[in-house]
Amino acid sequence: MGLHADPRPIGVFDSGVGGLTVLAELRRRLPAESTIYLGDNARAPYGPRPADEVRAYTLESVAWLLAQDVKLLVLACNTATSQALPLVRQVASVPVLGVVRPGAVAAAASTRAGHVGVIATAGTVASGAYAAAVGEADPTLAVTQLACPELVPMVEAGQLSGPIAEGAVRGYLGQLFAVDGEIDTLLLGCTHYPLLRPLIEQVAGPRVAVVDSAFTTALAAEDLLDALGGRTPHTGPGANRIVTTGDVATFTAVAGTVFGAALPSVERAAVTAD
Amino acid sequence: MGLHADPRPIGVFDSGVGGLTVLAELRRRLPAESTIYLGDNARAPYGPRPADEVRAYTLESVAWLLAQDVKLLVLACNTATSQALPLVRQVASVPVLGVVRPGAVAAAASTRAGHVGVIATAGTVASGAYAAAVGEADPTLAVTQLACPELVPMVEAGQLSGPIAEGAVRGYLGQLFAVDGEIDTLLLGCTHYPLLRPLIEQVAGPRVAVVDSAFTTALAAEDLLDALGGRTPHTGPGANRIVTTGDVATFTAVAGTVFGAALPSVERAAVTAD
């Protein structure tokens, strides 16, 4: 474990644009680090795909990022984390972080009542990854999950506030709290949801703490680099490459709606041989 | 960064017996891992010593643990973490975790009101390490610290409940909440305090979440090993060596009061050349 300052970039992978929330937190906390983001938009969303397909696509995408000589790999994708993290860790030659565990640990630290709610896509809910990770952090906690299929399309359409967004969030949280009224910590188990965080906090009310994976995963990446002594020796702002396997114009439109003017020029790359 | 299953032990350092709470959590969460604990009791407590002395003693102790071929080093000592962590990371050939950051991150995740209380020894409070770490996790949080000099001697005397212990805890928490009545998260900034956790939780009441460094540091060690793929390949229970630089009988008496029958036979070692 070479404990030397390391100028190489951090690789961030998502099936699409959602992982940009993790990238944004990483860059906010570690502005000197260079980053390479890969969105496998040509094959997104991963959620509905069978597990072996998710694993194969994730491994191809990760191989592409490793070929860019990254020092740390962040799976900023709940589906890839819940279905492929152990496999990626077996093949990767650098440390690998997923998004599930950091959020689960923060939720376990946050709840007073011992009741945690998780909202996520249908695929992530079905995987049970968050419930398992919260239980691993503290087996005494009660976890209630709810799939919120309308939220990702809503975020990608730029609807982060207003009556439609509020109606959707109010409907989902109403369902969740009807199942367990003692929930006092709400874990956002999808990388798109941090963009709805102000609205979700407003609807959930002050009694409920909202924990998001983007924030907690960025903290975990910072901790890992510090434990390894592997921060960049450079002090200026790091480079920020964003790459998609899909259509650049479509990616830029969706990502731009969501991230505004800070988005750099997006590149296209193929991660498969064909 | 050699990403291979790694059977070597985890090294845990404290100036005295307090870090045994971190060791106990580590062993509870990672029972297959071997551990070596070093307490520098011959020179404890570190709290009242000047910073350059703390750094020199910590480096000597760490060098002894590194010579035992540990794969990961945990500074389970608030004084050593707050005064020597960056230096230890410069010299160590393995990843190094301190106790301050994991607790601070969990406290930042936990507070709803944005008001965090920290109780610790006078030395840790004076270092400001927890206030800085909480602020680094989230600069919007208000942090109030209180030195509680009576608690370590009380724990070492085995007084974890009863009227004397309750009176001391009630007195300190009363002072802390008098300074900031909005505190809803209490960070135990001393490795002895987790043993008082049931009492502290009872006195603080259900509105206040108690966060302890032993629990959060053990989670951080688990995360680090997982990110590096560095868990032991063995599946049976790991070995547990406990070593003190001081008097074995005294260490065993204090540690036994605190940790009961689970304490293995304690060894003595010198970390200095003389």
Side-chain angles (χ1 to χ4, degrees):
Chain A
M1 305 177 187
L3 301 191
H4 302 291
D6 190 336
R8 293 178 299 163
I10 299 168
V12 181
F13 169 66
D14 183 32
S15 57
V17 301
L20 290 171
T21 59
V22 178
L23 180 73
E25 276 292 335
L26 271 175
R27 296 194 59 82
R28 195 176 66 78
R29 296 199 69 87
L30 301 167
E33 299 293 338
S34 292
T35 48
I36 303 184
Y37 181 94
L38 176 66
D40 190 14
N41 297 72
R43 302 185 289 195
Y46 280 12
R49 294 187 184 275
D52 56 355
E53 210 166 69
V54 169
R55 289 192 199 104
Y57 292 178
T58 300
L59 286 182
E60 282 176 351
S61 300
V62 159
W64 185 89
L65 278 168
L66 290 173
Q68 314 306 307
D69 198 19
V70 297
K71 64 180 169 185
L72 165 65
L73 198 56
V74 179
L75 297 190
C77 174
N78 284 280
T79 308
T81 298
S82 57
Q83 307 204 357
L85 177 59
L87 191 61
V88 170
R89 281 182 167 157
Q90 276 172 37
V91 304
S93 50
V94 301
V96 184
L97 287 175
V99 280
V100 171
R101 166 87 173 185
V105 166
S110 168
T111 183
R112 281 121 169 97
H115 290 249
V116 173
V118 179
I119 57 174
T121 62
T124 300
V125 166
S127 80
Y130 274 100
V134 171
E136 201 183 77
D138 183 347
T140 68
L141 302 179
V143 181
T144 305
Q145 303 186 100
L146 183 71
C148 305
E150 289 173 37
L151 298 188
V152 166
M154 214 175 73
V155 167
E156 296 205 348
Q159 290 189 313
L160 308 181
S161 60
I164 293 177
E166 191 176 327
V169 167
R170 205 171 281 284
Y172 285 130
L173 295 193
Q175 280 180 58
L176 185 69
F177 293 128
V179 174
D180 182 353
E182 289 185 74
I183 289 168
D184 69 353
T185 296
L186 181 63
L187 182 47
L188 310 187
C190 170
T191 50
H192 282 72
Y193 298 177
L195 294 157
L196 292 166
R197 186 172 175 153
L199 177 58
I200 289 170
E201 284 184 330
Q202 178 205 316
V203 171
R207 206 186 58 82
V208 176
V210 174
V211 172
D212 82 59
S213 295
F215 175 67
T216 53
T217 302
L219 285 173
E222 195 178 355
D223 285 347
L224 184 61
L225 289 181
D226 284 341
L228 297 172
R231 288 210 197 198
T232 180
H234 301 152
T235 51
N240 181 14
R241 283 182 67 193
I242 297 188
V243 180
T244 178
T245 61
D247 182 67
V248 166
T250 309
F251 183 97
T252 304
V254 175
T257 301
V258 162
F259 293 90
L263 195 73
S265 157
V266 175
E267 306 165 42
R268 190 177 179 287
V271 298
T272 50
D274 51 2
Chain B
M1 305 181 186
L3 301 193
H4 303 290
D6 190 335
R8 293 178 299 163
I10 299 169
V12 180
F13 169 66
D14 183 33
S15 57
V17 300
L20 290 172
T21 59
V22 178
L23 180 72
E25 277 291 336
L26 270 174
R27 296 195 59 81
R28 197 176 64 78
R29 297 199 67 88
L30 302 166
E33 299 292 339
S34 292
T35 49
I36 302 184
Y37 181 93
L38 176 66
D40 190 14
N41 297 73
R43 303 185 288 195
Y46 280 11
R49 294 187 183 276
D52 55 355
E53 212 165 68
V54 170
R55 288 191 199 105
Y57 292 179
T58 301
L59 286 182
E60 282 176 350
S61 301
V62 159
W64 185 90
L65 278 168
L66 291 173
Q68 313 307 308
D69 197 19
V70 298
K71 64 180 169 186
L72 164 65
L73 198 56
V74 179
L75 296 189
C77 174
N78 284 280
T79 308
T81 299
S82 58
Q83 307 204 356
L85 178 58
L87 192 60
V88 170
R89 283 181 166 158
Q90 276 171 36
V91 303
S93 50
V94 300
V96 183
L97 287 175
V99 279
V100 171
R101 165 87 174 187
V105 166
S110 168
T111 183
R112 283 118 169 98
H115 291 248
V116 173
V118 179
I119 58 174
T121 62
T124 300
V125 165
S127 79
Y130 274 100
V134 172
E136 203 182 77
D138 183 347
T140 67
L141 302 179
V143 180
T144 305
Q145 303 186 101
L146 182 71
C148 304
E150 288 173 38
L151 297 188
V152 165
M154 215 175 72
V155 167
E156 297 206 347
Q159 291 189 313
L160 308 180
S161 61
I164 293 177
E166 189 176 329
V169 168
R170 206 171 281 285
Y172 285 131
L173 296 192
Q175 279 180 59
L176 185 68
F177 294 128
V179 174
D180 181 353
E182 292 185 72
I183 289 169
D184 69 353
T185 296
L186 181 63
L187 182 47
L188 309 188
C190 171
T191 51
H192 282 71
Y193 297 178
L195 294 159
L196 292 167
R197 186 172 175 154
L199 177 58
I200 290 170
E201 285 184 329
Q202 178 204 317
V203 171
R207 207 185 59 80
V208 176
V210 174
V211 173
D212 82 58
S213 295
F215 175 69
T216 52
T217 302
L219 285 173
E222 195 178 353
D223 285 348
L224 184 61
L225 289 182
D226 283 341
L228 296 173
R231 288 211 197 198
T232 179
H234 301 152
T235 51
N240 181 14
R241 283 183 67 195
I242 298 190
V243 181
T244 177
T245 62
D247 182 67
V248 167
T250 310
F251 183 96
T252 304
V254 176
T257 302
V258 162
F259 292 92
L263 195 73
S265 158
V266 174
E267 305 164 44
R268 191 178 179 286
V271 299
T272 51
D274 53 2

